[in-house]
Amino acid sequence: MDGKQASMLLLIMVGAFLMPLLSERIGWFTAPCEMLYGAFIAAVVPGAHDPGSFVSSLAYFGFLLLLFLAGLEIDFTVLLRRGRKGLLRPLIAALGVQIVALGVALALRLPLIDALLLGALSISLLLVVLHEGHLTQSGLGQSLLVIGAFGEFLSIFELTAYDLVSRHGLDWSLLLAAGKLVALLV
């Protein structure tokens, strides 16, 4: 780790310590304060958009950890009691978000990749806000977590399909690559 990476890590640790204290003081959730802090650091610190491989690896690890925690918060016994019809509403809601994002991107003449990114539901941010508000075990909290889980799955599926089509085009190599992914998933 070089000096630039160490200073970026120090700035991140300072923000991780101070933002919860500040958010409690001003009555906000922690996540928006942390996002504003990150935007401030990116705007003020030169080269902050490229923090180095160590900090980037920590970011990926943190994201995976949040996804894992989100999966732990979903009460699957409630999902089983709801049945297929109970899962249909969250799926439709997640698809609705994807469709609205596509409509916004088309109206703003954004590229398709931007539409896919707009439609990505961040279950990790949702989990943090629900957990901080002590709503994860409520009916609304569980419904939002299921919508977020479906949204994350749809976003990952759409981004993977976009990547495969942009790499292979619409020919037989696309089917071969998709078959490899399905085999890996199975």
Side-chain angles (χ1 to χ4, degrees):
M1 178 176 5
D2 62 2
K4 176 186 166 191
Q5 290 182 16
S7 62
M8 283 305 300
L9 190 57
L10 180 65
L11 283 173
I12 291 168
M13 289 185 336
V14 166
F17 177 75
L18 291 178
M19 289 306 106
L21 299 174
L22 176 68
S23 66
E24 186 177 323
R25 195 131 170 93
I26 63 175
W28 282 17
F29 286 110
T30 304
C33 290
E34 289 173 342
M35 289 190 302
L36 289 172
Y37 176 77
F40 175 75
I41 293 300
V44 172
V45 176
H49 58 277
D50 183 25
S53 61
F54 181 73
V55 176
S56 295
S57 296
L58 284 177
Y60 285 124
F61 178 72
F63 179 71
L64 290 173
L65 184 63
L66 276 173
L67 286 178
F68 176 73
L69 292 174
L72 289 177
E73 289 291 335
I74 296 175
D75 188 358
F76 288 100
T77 57
V78 172
L79 291 179
L80 290 174
R81 280 190 296 225
R82 290 182 183 177
R84 288 184 182 170
K85 287 185 179 181
L87 290 178
L88 192 59
R89 276 193 224 159
L91 180 60
I92 290 171
L95 282 169
V97 169
Q98 302 288 323
I99 291 168
V100 168
L102 181 62
V104 167
L106 289 174
L108 296 175
R109 294 189 174 107
L110 297 174
L112 179 61
I113 188 71
D114 290 346
L116 297 176
L117 293 175
L118 277 175
L121 296 171
S122 180
I123 193 170
S124 55
L125 177 62
L126 178 65
L127 173 68
V128 170
V129 171
L130 288 175
H131 198 280
E132 200 170 321
H134 305 290
L135 297 171
T136 53
Q137 295 305 316
S138 68
L140 174 65
Q142 286 295 306
S143 294
L144 289 173
L145 284 173
V146 171
I147 291 170
F150 277 134
E152 288 287 333
F153 178 77
L154 288 171
S155 296
I156 290 169
F157 178 77
E158 291 165 353
L159 288 168
T160 303
Y162 178 83
D163 182 59
L164 286 175
V165 169
S166 65
R167 283 184 191 203
H168 299 283
L170 295 173
D171 61 3
W172 291 106
S173 64
L174 173 66
L175 288 176
L176 180 64
K180 288 179 183 177
L181 279 176
V182 169
L184 180 66
L185 182 63
V186 169

